[in-house]
Amino acid sequence: MANDYDIAVIGAGVAGLNAAIAAARHGARTMIIDMLGAGGQVINVDRIDNFPGPAEGMSGFELGPMLQMQADEAGVEFALDTIETIAKTETGFRIAGADLDLNVGAVIIAAGSAKRRLGIPGEAEFEGRGVSHCASCDGPLMRGKNVCIVGGGDSALDEALALVPHAARITVIHHGSGLTASATLQAKARKTANIEVKLNTVATAIRGEGGVSAITIRDLSTSATSEILCHGVFVYVGLEPNTSFFGDTVALAADGRIVVDLDMQTSVPGIFAAGDIRARSVAHLAASAGDGVTAAISAVRYLAADGIGKPVTHYASAG
């Protein structure tokens, strides 16, 4: 039975788009599948500094369509769907979603991660009514108001800085004794008058009526609790890999990410992983792009080496 495509890429973020572009340019019939569309989570990022490009940076809204255009020109086909299963077949793999049911020679998993939740009272209740994960989207709604950012990494400070033109006061709440964001971002935050940082502090509840009005915090040094009056809470406390859809198909690390070798090969020959869904990723866009290209070339070599028991001759040389 002939496969519908040579390579299926699951996920249309930076890793997935670069994987699809590289695979198509090496002659593979390539399909990229995502539940939202091209760009992934970066589409909502106001300014991207960890990807090669203009010195002034670029927005995710610019980067996503740019990569999609390159993929279109390379001959990549796109589909909107949520993949539910990946199963081995005689000629490769069958991937099934809500609408799609395809047979492919190799799979590249680049489904990325979802933002981790705090799991505190009020978080789910006020989602979309003051609780947000996108400062560039909801920042204008906070004009002249006090807001809180929960988190201490690059994403937290990136979004805090994106809120500066809108919010009256921005309080960054972080459980550690020091922020983990890059030195450049920390320096920018320190120079910004309306950003305050509270270390050794955790959020314990979000309250309000109809919308957020305050967040309860606890000082880890003294165990004292207090409240900060605010109208918005932006949560950036890390990422959870989107690996639930394939169950135990491939080996996972202790943190739930996919174990790969230097070729981005998983524990199952013919299935590759790229981006922050794979173990030991540094979670930078430039690294994710490199992961995608490596996975694509490895997948092309796998197919060209008769990895599925059927000669393949139409691929360009992968070096």
Side-chain angles (χ1 to χ4, degrees):
M1 179 176 61
N3 288 323
D4 300 298
Y5 294 91
D6 297 316
I7 297 172
V9 180
I10 301 172
V14 169
L17 285 166
N18 276 279
I21 292 165
R25 286 176 176 171
H26 280 88
R29 294 168 295 142
T30 306
M31 164 72 81
I32 188 167
I33 306 158
D34 193 276
M35 62 182 177
L36 296 177
Q41 290 190 34
V42 301
I43 204 75
N44 295 320
V45 177
D46 189 57
R47 175 180 167 129
I48 296 169
D49 290 314
N50 61 354
F51 192 80
E56 66 273 16
M58 70 178 79
S59 69
F61 187 73
E62 295 171 305
L63 179 60
M66 180 184 74
L67 292 175
Q68 181 177 11
M69 186 179 301
Q70 291 181 23
D72 286 337
E73 291 174 350
V76 175
E77 294 186 43
F78 283 80
L80 287 175
D81 204 352
T82 301
I83 299 304
E84 297 171 349
T85 59
I86 301 173
K88 191 79 177 74
T89 67
E90 290 184 1
T91 58
F93 301 90
R94 177 188 175 192
I95 57 174
D99 299 312
L100 291 174
D101 192 343
L102 301 174
N103 289 291
V104 300
V107 179
I108 298 173
I109 301 172
S113 304
K115 290 183 172 65
R116 184 178 291 130
R117 296 184 177 274
L118 296 169
I120 61 175
E123 181 182 23
E125 178 185 352
F126 294 111
E127 181 76 36
R129 294 185 297 152
V131 173
S132 174
H133 301 273
C134 180
S136 58
C137 308
D138 297 330
L141 302 175
M142 299 295 153
R143 188 168 299 278
K145 299 177 180 179
N146 294 338
V147 302
C148 290
I149 301 266
V150 184
D154 284 357
S155 294
L157 289 199
D158 267 331
E159 300 301 86
L161 291 165
L163 286 166
V164 167
H166 308 292
R169 189 71 181 168
I170 303 156
T171 304
V172 177
I173 300 164
H174 181 53
H175 69 274
S177 58
L179 298 174
T180 58
S182 69
T184 300
L185 287 174
Q186 291 192 47
K188 288 180 181 179
R190 282 194 298 269
K191 293 177 183 177
T192 306
N194 62 337
I195 294 180
E196 177 187 1
V197 177
K198 287 186 177 294
L199 300 175
N200 296 308
T201 304
V202 294
T204 58
I206 299 169
R207 68 173 183 84
E209 291 184 10
V212 170
S213 62
I215 185 170
T216 304
I217 60 174
R218 185 175 77 251
D219 187 313
L220 295 176
S221 301
T222 65
S223 295
T225 62
S226 59
E227 280 194 338
I228 301 174
L229 298 180
C230 63
H231 289 85
V233 177
F234 294 80
V235 181
Y236 303 98
V237 290
L239 301 169
E240 297 283 356
N242 293 321
T243 53
S244 60
F245 67 90
F246 53 76
D248 58 358
T249 303
V250 297
L252 303 180
D255 63 359
R257 288 175 166 77
I258 303 171
V259 176
V260 297
D261 63 16
L262 292 176
D263 296 321
M264 302 299 145
Q265 170 74 65
T266 71
S267 59
V268 177
I271 300 181
F272 303 82
D276 63 16
I277 200 170
R278 62 113 173 156
R280 301 178 67 84
S281 167
V282 296
H284 272 230
L285 293 185
S288 292
D291 278 3
V293 174
T294 299
I297 292 176
S298 297
V300 168
R301 286 173 173 164
Y302 165 82
L303 294 172
D306 195 16
I308 56 174
K310 181 179 178 182
V312 178
T313 60
H314 62 281
Y315 303 109
S317 169

